[in-house]
Amino acid sequence: MEKMLKTTAKDRVTKTAEHVNGGAGFIMKEELITPEQRGEHCGLLNRIALKPNCEIGHHEHHGEAEMYYILEGTGMYEEDGEAVAVEAGDVTYCEDGHGHGLKNNGKEELVMVAVILKK
């Protein structure tokens, strides 16, 4: 039997990043598993929180795709210039060669899991 890989909340560190991709405010990000655990096809697996009026600015993906799974809160998701409202339970998927961003336009914290899948 292979060794079970597990991380716990007390083992992980939350870091703050300001003006991500030119966006307003800051995000709080928590790496859920290490790069070694992710392997070659997963570029990112993070829990990300945005306070009201904070955002991840528009950015493009090349050689990879990114998914956001909204866990809490509401926001405005933008992809290639088209914006749609998102809320808890929604999943967005930005394909390779496209760009996207996310703004918390609600009154509560927006929490999501972000996954980057490499080609």
Side-chain angles (χ1 to χ4, degrees):
M1 180 184 221
E2 290 185 37
K3 179 182 171 188
M4 180 179 12
L5 297 176
K6 172 187 165 189
T7 65
T8 63
K10 67 180 179 177
D11 296 330
R12 297 186 300 265
V13 176
T14 300
K15 297 179 181 177
T16 300
E18 294 186 21
H19 308 294
V20 175
N21 298 312
F26 63 96
I27 67 168
M28 294 163 292
K29 58 185 180 173
E30 176 184 351
E31 193 173 63
L32 298 176
I33 58 176
T34 67
E36 297 77 27
Q37 292 168 322
R38 290 193 313 256
E40 65 181 286
H41 296 291
C42 183
L44 176 89
L45 179 58
N46 281 2
R47 178 187 184 275
I48 298 175
L50 293 87
K51 298 285 186 191
N53 299 312
C54 291
E55 64 186 328
I56 297 171
H58 181 89
H59 59 286
E60 294 182 355
H61 289 275
H62 300 283
E64 63 188 24
E66 186 169 26
M67 177 198 83
Y68 295 159
Y69 174 34
I70 311 298
L71 301 172
E72 301 173 22
T74 59
M76 189 60 66
Y77 175 78
E78 174 272 326
E79 185 171 322
D80 295 335
E82 185 176 331
V84 295
V86 292
E87 62 184 20
D90 290 348
V91 175
T92 66
Y93 184 77
C94 181
E95 294 182 341
D96 182 22
H98 295 269
H100 66 151
L102 178 67
K103 180 176 183 173
N104 180 349
N105 62 354
K107 297 189 185 313
E108 305 294 326
E109 188 172 71
L110 185 153
V111 179
M112 68 172 176
V113 172
V115 180
I116 291 180
L117 302 170
K118 296 181 180 181
K119 294 256 176 182

